[in-house]
Amino acid sequence: MSDAGAMPVLEARDISIRFGGVEALKRVSLHLMPGEVLALAGDNGAGKSTLIKILSGVYHADAGELCFDGRAMQLRDPQDARAQGIETIYQDLALADNLDVGSNIFLGREPTRRKLGFQVIDRPRMAQVAREVLERLDIVIPSRKLGGPVKMLSGGQRQAIAIGRAIYWNARVLIMDEPTAALGVPEQRKVMALIGSLKAQGVAVMLISHNLHDIFAVSDRIVVLRRGEVAGERQVPHTNGDEIVRLMVGDTWANGAR
Amino acid sequence: MNDKRLDRLALVSKVWPWLFLGALLVFFEVWARISAHRSFIFNAYNLQSIGLAASAPLLLAIGQTFVIVTAGIDLSVGFVMGLAAVCVAQFTIPGGGSPWVLVLSIPLTILVCLIPGFVNGVLIARLGVPAFIGTLGMYGVARGAGFLAAGSGMTVAVDNAGLAWLGQGWTPVVLTAVLLAFMHFVLSQTKFGQYTYAIGGNPQSAVRAGINVRRHLFAIYLIAAAFAAIGGIVYTARFAAGAANAGEPMLLDSIAAVVIGGASLFGGTGTVIGTLIGSLIIAVIEFGLVFIDVNAFWQFIVVGVVIIVSVLIDQYKDRLGGAQ
């Protein structure tokens, strides 16, 4: 869906960052189109996490620039990124386990109404939105569990809530760090299907995964990082697992293994 | 474990404090009818005694509920209450018997008692000291300050008409009930309450959701200290004397009330209404055992067993939840 001519929703140009003596990222550039799923692949220590932390406002790049909708963008902190429409879903989900689905979707941004002169949380509205968001993502959670703490739900359902929270707040870019790492196989499939439906709704998804099978199942394009540099970029229909692995570990290693 | 059985267990763990309170009342009622041909419950004196016995630790327990929901604990509230009891007496005495002096002495007392709350806030929210240790330090500081403020004796007598009114009859019970209703509203209906639960559930997610966790924890330790101060003022009003150790037995009662009421010490759960039920259970056991002529020391044993049972129910519930 990366139709040429359209404007990238998110673009990173020549991003570099150092931690002490280590150059974690060296002039990394990539872009993300609306409705596109871009996979970020790479071995451990290749710089994937560092890059997404820059894109979500956690780290600040030493050099290079970020563009959102073609305009240069400065991210002071993660809140800043979320305000722009860049939501990041971390491996550990960041849900409050003791709260219900609606409370988690609205955490920190609760709707209120006036009651007896006080601002009270509008729980009926939160429950209503929770149902709508889950419906939009085609997630079935029994209604009696909807009002209970999310720790009673499965890993996949919880992952879905984290995704639902991001899309409810109109995320235009969704960065997912190993979204299936902690899940069982049927739940991994469900999350992969969710990514597909987000893409259909025009959300740009950046997927970080170790699992080449997942990457090939949902992505349109793959950017491979190796030792802080872009080792290559491939369209999914025109590549295969062997080539991606070769890019990840480097030619010498791949050849040496044969 | 099927869903229906899990639902039923969740329900039992939610309503058991109510059932237990009801069972206690029925037990003492039947006992009173059989042994003395009178009523336990339908007796204004008994009700007022239970109300008064419940309201003193309950004032501390209201603040403690907020603290425990955030996965903290405040060990200093007992001696902050004692400090308040002494301070309000000392500040009221120079004004003689005029009720007007209370306009000054009560706010001043609360202000003094907010200092330990403030220090707790700095230690826990700013410096990351574990709540148990930070408030244990303030437990000692408030204890020493209370006895120093009391001077040579341990208690400071005060004779003031306004203060006496505040402590007579049902007034402390009504005051506690009003504060309880308000704090129940805050915890269950407002953003402040919602964030209290969120911090107790997962402080990381609260931070990522843009909640100012530090400021919130700060506010909560101030609230706990303010309620301890009110508890001390009510104590001095009731007994026309402030004692530095007034709150000593109240500290553990306040924690017990919160835990029996269904809160987990790991944070994230608990309600003000649950705490009310917990305090009533403790007060009914204490008063009821004396009422049926059981040696008063048995009340400690019974309350201790009730605390253990309520924690076991809480753990059992959590294990079921986690196993799913």
Side-chain angles (χ1 to χ4, degrees):
Chain A
M1 248 236 236
S2 53
D3 37 357
M7 191 190 285
V9 57
L10 182 67
E11 195 175 0
R13 291 190 195 131
D14 295 329
I15 297 290
S16 300
I17 188 170
R18 311 181 62 96
F19 297 109
V22 182
E23 205 166 12
L25 291 177
K26 284 168 260 185
R27 300 179 66 83
V28 169
S29 298
L30 55 77
H31 65 276
L32 190 57
M33 308 298 291
E36 180 188 39
V37 179
L38 173 69
L40 197 57
D43 206 357
N44 291 336
K48 305 187 297 287
S49 294
T50 308
L51 182 57
I52 65 161
K53 279 182 175 153
I54 289 171
L55 295 175
S56 57
V58 178
Y59 292 159
H60 304 277
D62 296 329
E65 61 175 352
L66 300 176
C67 292
F68 192 79
D69 272 343
R71 286 188 306 274
M73 164 181 76
Q74 298 287 332
L75 297 177
R76 284 186 305 273
D77 53 37
Q79 260 79 313
D80 221 12
R82 293 171 73 180
Q84 297 268 0
I86 303 171
E87 295 269 352
T88 308
I89 297 176
Y90 297 94
Q91 238 168 314
D92 54 1
L93 301 170
L95 295 181
D97 280 343
N98 57 329
L99 300 181
D100 62 19
V101 178
S103 299
N104 268 293
I105 290 175
F106 282 97
L107 192 58
R109 303 180 264 203
E110 290 80 1
T112 55
R113 62 194 163 91
R114 288 192 79 78
K115 188 171 150 191
L116 305 169
F118 292 100
Q119 290 289 333
V120 303
I121 292 182
D122 194 346
R123 292 196 195 277
R125 184 166 140 64
M126 282 162 55
Q128 173 64 27
V129 168
R131 276 193 296 275
E132 283 169 14
V133 166
L134 294 174
E135 206 168 289
R136 188 170 154 195
L137 291 176
D138 200 19
I139 298 291
V140 182
I141 294 178
S143 57
R144 62 192 177 81
K145 281 196 174 176
L146 217 53
V150 298
K151 72 174 161 208
M152 302 298 276
L153 302 177
S154 72
Q157 288 169 328
R158 288 148 48 88
Q159 187 67 264
I161 293 163
I163 296 171
R165 169 161 70 185
I167 62 156
Y168 176 73
W169 294 99
N170 292 320
R172 297 191 48 211
V173 174
L174 189 58
I175 301 172
M176 305 173 84
D177 186 4
E178 299 279 1
T180 59
L183 303 181
V185 173
E187 302 194 313
Q188 292 182 9
R189 294 221 176 105
K190 186 76 205 175
V191 171
M192 286 299 126
L194 272 181
I195 293 174
S197 75
L198 290 177
K199 169 184 155 76
Q201 292 172 35
V203 179
V205 178
M206 186 181 275
L207 174 70
I208 289 84
S209 180
H210 269 97
N211 187 333
L212 282 182
H213 185 77
D214 283 359
I215 288 177
F216 276 90
V218 292
S219 1
D220 301 300
R221 204 152 51 88
I222 305 172
V223 168
V224 181
L225 290 183
R226 185 171 72 230
R227 292 181 194 172
E229 287 176 289
V230 175
E233 182 187 331
R234 297 287 184 275
Q235 299 288 335
V236 164
H238 306 132
T239 185
N240 54 49
D242 286 345
E243 188 184 18
I244 298 301
V245 171
R246 216 159 31 241
L247 288 169
M248 279 165 69
V249 299
D251 288 329
T252 34
W253 281 101
N255 290 338
R258 290 225 170 132
Chain B
M1 182 71 55
N2 64 41
D3 277 3
K4 265 199 191 125
R5 232 189 106 197
L6 223 117
D7 276 2
R8 218 174 304 145
L9 273 162
L11 191 70
V12 167
S13 71
K14 219 178 254 175
V15 299
W16 92 267
W18 295 85
L19 294 177
F20 187 66
L21 179 60
L24 278 176
L25 289 173
V26 168
F27 170 77
F28 286 122
E29 180 68 20
V30 169
W31 189 293
R33 296 267 180 187
I34 289 172
S35 67
H37 303 288
R38 54 193 180 129
S39 175
F40 177 72
I41 305 169
F42 304 102
N43 176 324
Y45 173 77
N46 289 0
L47 286 185
Q48 194 183 56
S49 300
I50 293 170
L52 287 172
S55 64
L58 187 51
L59 282 170
L60 301 195
I62 293 170
Q64 194 76 266
T65 305
F66 280 71
V67 172
I68 287 179
V69 168
T70 65
I73 194 145
D74 192 340
L75 299 178
S76 68
V77 287
F79 280 112
V80 170
M81 175 180 165
L83 177 64
V86 172
C87 280
V88 76
Q90 296 286 33
F91 295 157
T92 305
I93 288 168
S98 158
W100 289 106
V101 66
L102 297 180
V103 178
L104 216 68
S105 67
I106 288 179
L108 200 60
T109 300
I110 294 176
L111 215 61
V112 168
C113 290
L114 285 180
I115 296 172
F118 182 85
V119 176
N120 281 335
V122 170
L123 290 173
I124 295 155
R126 276 276 145 199
L127 303 176
V129 175
F132 190 94
I133 300 302
T135 62
L136 185 61
M138 290 320 292
Y139 164 101
V141 171
R143 182 182 199 174
F147 281 106
L148 286 173
S152 49
M154 266 182 21
T155 56
V156 183
V158 57
D159 184 16
N160 181 291
L163 211 53
W165 175 83
L166 190 64
Q168 73 175 1
W170 286 94
T171 319
V173 181
V174 172
L175 175 73
T176 307
V178 170
L179 290 171
L180 183 110
F182 179 73
M183 294 312 277
H184 167 68
F185 169 81
V186 169
L187 189 58
S188 64
Q189 304 275 310
T190 66
K191 284 195 179 196
F192 187 89
Q194 183 82 352
Y195 295 167
T196 307
Y197 285 110
I199 290 168
N202 185 346
Q204 285 273 332
S205 78
V207 170
R208 283 184 196 157
I211 296 169
N212 192 334
V213 173
R214 283 180 170 184
R215 203 178 61 194
H216 198 93
L217 284 177
F218 217 99
I220 276 174
Y221 284 94
L222 284 178
I223 288 171
F227 272 92
I230 295 168
I233 292 164
V234 170
Y235 177 93
T236 301
R238 271 181 72 191
F239 300 108
N245 59 354
E248 199 172 359
M250 308 295 175
L251 164 65
L252 293 180
D253 272 0
S254 79
I255 296 171
V258 177
V259 171
I260 294 171
S264 161
L265 286 176
F266 298 111
T269 57
T271 61
V272 173
I273 296 298
T275 297
L276 166 66
I277 302 300
S279 308
L280 286 176
I281 286 174
I282 295 172
V284 169
I285 289 173
E286 288 178 354
F287 183 79
L289 289 180
V290 173
F291 183 79
I292 65 172
D293 259 343
V294 172
N295 187 325
F297 290 118
W298 276 100
Q299 70 190 39
F300 299 125
I301 295 174
V302 176
V303 171
V305 171
V306 173
I307 292 170
I308 292 169
V309 169
S310 57
V311 169
L312 285 177
I313 288 178
D314 180 57
Q315 283 187 350
Y316 188 58
K317 179 184 64 182
D318 262 15
R319 206 174 312 145
L320 287 177
Q324 220 205 0

